[in-house]
Amino acid sequence: MADATDHAFYDRADAHIELSNEQLKTFENLGQVSASMTFGTTRFNAWASARSFKSGAEMADAREALLKYFTDQYRLMLEDNLDDHINNFSQYMQVKAAPTAE
């Protein structure tokens, strides 16, 4: 993941999240908005990857390495974010503590 001092990394990520949050105000279907964001990310990553090749055949030869790289990166980032949400669930989800018996 990005170095902690790379604030621009998080600013760019937050801009994408903000767009998805705005879409939720109109579409209200979390699964559809999430799927669109994931599709957009994969499409952008395929295009960005293609820029470093001279031909489709050359890119095809690197297909498995590209899949491994991107799936490994996604898994690492998802693990970090899942752990963050597990550890900060009450804060992020604004869960109120259950009332205690008196």
Side-chain angles (χ1 to χ4, degrees):
M1 188 116 56
D3 184 290
T5 60
D6 184 6
H7 297 291
F9 172 89
Y10 295 104
D11 290 344
R12 290 187 303 271
D14 288 345
H16 291 285
I17 293 166
E18 181 59 30
L19 174 60
S20 291
N21 286 333
E22 286 298 315
Q23 290 177 350
L24 282 173
K25 292 176 183 176
T26 304
F27 300 109
E28 296 180 4
N29 186 312
L30 182 63
Q32 289 177 343
V33 172
S34 177
S36 296
M37 185 177 197
T38 301
F39 179 81
T41 299
T42 60
R43 188 165 179 94
F44 182 83
N45 287 336
W47 173 80
S49 297
R51 292 182 51 146
S52 64
F53 296 100
K54 291 182 169 72
S55 69
E58 184 183 357
M59 188 175 178
D61 289 341
R63 184 178 188 275
E64 288 305 313
L66 290 167
L67 285 169
K68 180 172 179 10
Y69 171 77
F70 284 112
T71 55
D72 287 351
Q73 289 299 303
Y74 182 88
R75 182 178 182 98
L76 288 171
M77 291 180 190
L78 182 58
E79 286 175 347
D80 285 347
N81 282 289
L82 286 172
D83 290 344
D84 183 41
H85 278 73
I86 289 166
N87 294 327
N88 298 290
F89 189 86
S90 294
Q91 176 187 349
Y92 292 167
M93 303 311 292
Q94 299 177 356
V95 174
K96 297 192 180 10
T100 56
E102 292 187 45

